[in-house]
Amino acid sequence: MSASALGGTDPKDGEPAPKNSCFFSPISLPCGRIVPNRLVKVAMYEHMADMFGGAPNSNHFGLYSRWARHGWGMVITGNVQVSPTHLSLGRDIVVPATLSAKTLEPFRNLAQVIHLERFCSETRRAGNTTTLAIMQLSHAGRQSPNVLGGRPPFARPLSSSPIALGSGRRGEGFISRLLHRLLFQTPLEMSLENINDVVEAFVRGAKLAVLAGFDGVQLHAAHGWHIDLIAQFISPKTNRRTDSYSCNFANSLNLLHRIVISIRKTVPVDFVLGVKVNASDYVDTFSVAANTSGDDPTRIEGQKTVQELRALEHVRTMASWQMIDFIEISGGDYETPGTFIEPRSNGFWSFDSLTTLFLAVEFMSPSALSKSPRQAFFAHFSHNAMRALTASSEAVLKTSPLILLTGGLRTLSHLETAITSRHTDLLGIGRVSITCPDLPDVLRRMENVKGKHGANEHALFAPEPDLTLGFFGSHRIGHLVWPFVSSIQLVGAGAGMAWYVVMIRCLAKRGGEGSVQMDYNMGAVGAIFRMWITTERSYLTGFVATGFVLLLAGLVLCSAHSIT
């Protein structure tokens, strides 16, 4: 939906933000920078760089120009990988090995797009009222796949411990296990020298952001299709080390702490530094599953209490460093998609729900999209995190990071409640920033008319795609194939991601001009196919990548047939 659909004048053309607005009141970060409003376009997977990694290109400039024109408080880029040999799905932006005028130029252009410098007559809006441009830095670790991850075939990635992706998950079918083995190698445990190299890589990424004109960086330490190396050191599911980087409480944040300290020594005082964390990394999903199957509820509740306290203590510890400006709270991970627990009667999720949600708002499986009420998934934990920070000492409180809540905020009333009930300082918007890129303009209009003519808050967001459709939309062959294909968790979760990637590409091609019609007839596997057939100049590589995926699928089907 566009702002003009609600009638009146666009805010960017002169309409002021509503007075006493909970959305459009500015808020200060500990570093001194000001976020002009509470709406944050959070990072999502984009799949638009060159194959095997590259710099931002015209597709990125067109995409971010769409968001830049509508007055978001902060815009966080998609993941920028600090290691060219640990990509997610091949088309990631990558920090260049050397920072020169030539390598900086495309990153500088992207920062200028977000700041509207390429679209306004003035070089930059005065003061701190401009949208803050934040670069997300990431390292995929063990979830970097074969070949597409930027390494030779079957070369092993690095991680905290040699624990294969998918290991330890119960109830996984044979085909899912086989796909994991084909696509992902068991990682190598990182040496101390490897860890030093990773710290330096993140520092180089921060230097890149400074030199390119970004206002800050966010360290990805959470879930996602490209679950990050930092999270792999924090989570007991992936870290079995016994050295100073082990997962016991005293050591579990050591890698993150080293990166934060090293970056702060390198960047200006007013440079924004954020961290994205995953609430469900702290929760044993199998305990919840056991609870539903008849295990002692008292024992399970005790485990969950300990896990929540661990998570909150990590937040307090990060705040005590007095170096972080905001912490994004999201939940779930790629290995456990698609299970849901009903919300409490007050409309917010209980902490139990954090054990089963995955990929924040951007990469949901089709079953999740159809079952979830999609309202404030992580508000309970986010609220407790804010309470924990408020209870800190006065010295820490002055430099406490803001909390950014990401996930399922889909009506005006829920957005308002999240802010006014102190569940969060900032509102993270993912998928909705694709279906409604002018959301800040829409909310300004709705706040202005609220109480006068009423606001149709349920028309705020476009509907979710029906990814239960078959191979190519409603084609009858697809209806026969999709039930089998979607039972493979890797494929099921990937279909939701692919649909939004294709829609992101549509936004990028249109740039800041005109509206974009969401394609709800694409179908799940059709979305995956179109995701790989990217731009006109890359049809060949798209077909090669698609062929590679189809070849793996053929091997899987043959193997399954031979066993049955």
Side-chain angles (χ1 to χ4, degrees):
M1 173 185 290
S2 66
S4 58
L6 294 171
T9 306
D10 270 350
K12 62 179 180 294
D13 293 329
E15 180 179 322
K19 293 182 178 180
N20 302 318
S21 168
C22 62
F23 301 140
F24 298 101
S25 58
I27 188 168
S28 297
L29 295 165
C31 69
R33 300 301 299 272
I34 296 176
V35 186
N37 62 64
R38 308 305 180 91
L39 302 173
V40 178
K41 197 292 294 180
V42 296
M44 294 171 288
Y45 185 63
E46 297 162 355
H47 200 70
M48 293 195 302
D50 292 337
M51 183 59 78
F52 305 119
N57 56 42
S58 58
N59 291 320
H60 296 95
F61 304 150
L63 174 65
Y64 282 86
S65 71
R66 170 73 65 159
W67 288 314
R69 295 172 184 271
H70 298 294
W72 293 83
M74 188 157 63
V75 169
I76 305 175
T77 70
N79 60 305
V80 176
Q81 299 290 358
V82 300
S83 170
T85 59
H86 287 80
L87 309 180
S88 57
L89 289 178
R91 293 191 176 277
D92 299 339
I93 297 177
V94 179
V95 175
T98 58
L99 303 181
S100 64
K102 182 178 180 180
T103 59
L104 282 172
E105 182 178 3
F107 292 92
R108 185 174 288 120
N109 289 341
L110 182 57
Q112 290 173 350
V113 165
I114 298 173
H115 288 142
L116 280 177
E117 294 176 19
R118 306 185 84 192
F119 304 101
C120 296
S121 56
E122 65 273 14
T123 58
R124 188 164 182 164
R125 297 175 187 174
N128 283 319
T129 59
T130 187
T131 297
L132 296 183
I134 308 297
M135 178 188 294
Q136 186 186 83
L137 299 178
S138 179
H139 186 299
R142 71 170 186 160
Q143 201 145 338
S144 178
N146 281 323
V147 183
L148 293 175
R151 300 178 309 283
F154 304 108
R156 296 167 67 182
L158 298 175
S159 186
S160 54
S161 299
I163 301 173
L165 186 69
S167 61
R169 186 171 57 203
R170 300 179 185 180
E172 183 184 22
F174 166 76
I175 293 178
S176 287
R177 292 198 306 272
L178 183 58
L179 270 178
H180 275 105
R181 297 301 177 266
L182 289 172
L183 293 174
F184 302 99
Q185 292 291 296
T186 300
L188 293 169
E189 181 173 304
M190 293 176 65
S191 66
L192 295 180
E193 183 179 357
N194 294 146
I195 291 174
N196 292 338
D197 291 341
V198 163
V199 172
E200 181 54 37
F202 275 96
V203 171
R204 188 171 70 253
K207 290 178 181 176
L208 167 68
V210 171
L211 295 173
F214 282 83
D215 301 295
V217 296
Q218 181 189 50
L219 304 178
H220 194 306
H223 64 273
W225 180 267
H226 42 276
I227 186 168
D228 196 84
L229 178 67
I230 300 174
Q232 292 161 28
F233 273 82
I234 295 174
S235 173
K237 293 192 297 184
T238 50
N239 187 350
R240 305 288 171 79
R241 302 175 73 99
T242 58
D243 61 4
S244 59
Y245 293 95
S246 69
C247 201
N248 67 47
F249 188 81
N251 296 334
S252 55
L253 294 179
N254 279 357
L255 176 60
L256 176 61
H257 193 203
R258 274 196 63 189
I259 293 172
V260 168
I261 290 175
S262 300
I263 288 176
R264 275 293 176 214
K265 290 179 179 178
T266 305
V267 300
V269 175
D270 64 348
F271 190 75
V272 179
L273 180 54
V275 175
K276 181 173 183 175
V277 299
N278 179 11
S280 71
D281 275 347
Y282 299 92
V283 182
D284 184 351
T285 58
F286 301 133
S287 293
V288 177
N291 190 24
T292 61
S293 63
D295 273 24
D296 180 7
T298 303
R299 181 179 65 84
I300 299 300
E301 284 300 319
Q303 289 178 351
K304 289 183 288 185
T305 299
V306 170
Q307 290 157 345
E308 180 173 5
L309 290 175
R310 174 184 169 90
L312 293 174
E313 192 58 37
H314 272 172
V315 171
R316 289 192 191 97
T317 300
M318 285 187 275
S320 71
W321 299 340
Q322 301 183 38
M323 297 180 183
I324 296 174
D325 294 293
F326 70 92
I327 298 175
E328 180 179 349
I329 304 289
S330 56
D333 77 36
Y334 174 71
E335 294 188 54
T336 53
T339 306
F340 289 87
I341 295 175
E342 290 300 312
R344 291 177 177 172
S345 59
N346 64 1
F348 289 103
W349 291 83
S350 69
F351 188 74
D352 293 355
S353 67
L354 297 175
T355 68
T356 57
L357 297 170
F358 55 93
L359 310 189
V361 295
E362 54 264 48
F363 302 146
M364 291 187 177
S365 70
S367 61
L369 293 176
S370 63
K371 294 179 183 178
S372 170
R374 299 183 294 271
Q375 305 297 346
F377 289 158
F378 318 113
H380 176 79
F381 177 77
S382 182
H383 180 55
N384 282 351
M386 291 190 66
R387 291 176 60 189
L389 296 181
T390 304
S392 301
S393 65
E394 184 176 350
V396 172
L397 189 59
K398 291 179 180 178
T399 56
S400 288
L402 303 186
I403 295 296
L404 165 60
L405 175 66
T406 297
L409 299 165
R410 299 192 55 79
T411 68
L412 184 61
S413 59
H414 279 90
L415 292 169
E416 289 177 336
T417 300
I419 291 288
T420 58
S421 298
R422 295 288 294 159
H423 289 173
T424 186
D425 297 300
L426 300 167
L427 300 165
I429 310 296
R431 293 194 322 271
V432 172
S433 70
I434 301 172
T435 58
C436 187
D438 56 346
L439 179 65
D441 289 348
V442 174
L443 288 177
R444 287 187 184 94
R445 184 83 64 243
M446 294 180 79
E447 283 201 340
N448 281 332
V449 302
K450 192 176 182 182
K452 299 177 182 178
H453 309 291
N456 183 11
E457 66 174 59
H458 298 292
L460 237 180
F461 305 112
E464 302 287 357
D466 181 4
L467 295 177
T468 61
L469 292 176
F471 203 87
F472 289 104
S474 58
H475 195 286
R476 63 186 182 87
I477 297 177
H479 284 294
L480 299 175
V481 175
W482 181 244
F484 168 75
V485 175
S486 62
S487 66
I488 305 171
Q489 290 184 342
L490 277 171
V491 177
M497 177 193 71
W499 190 88
Y500 284 100
V501 165
V502 174
M503 293 301 102
I504 280 177
R505 194 175 304 139
C506 292
L507 286 179
K509 289 181 177 179
R510 296 300 299 269
E513 303 299 328
S515 61
V516 174
Q517 187 70 32
M518 298 292 111
D519 185 353
Y520 292 103
N521 297 314
M522 189 185 309
V525 181
I528 295 174
F529 184 83
R530 287 181 60 182
M531 169 180 160
W532 289 101
I533 306 301
T534 53
T535 62
E536 290 79 1
R537 63 179 179 173
S538 60
Y539 279 141
L540 179 60
T541 55
F543 276 116
V544 170
T546 303
F548 176 71
V549 173
L550 292 176
L551 175 62
L552 287 177
L555 291 172
V556 169
L557 292 173
C558 290
S559 301
H561 179 73
S562 65
I563 286 183
T564 57

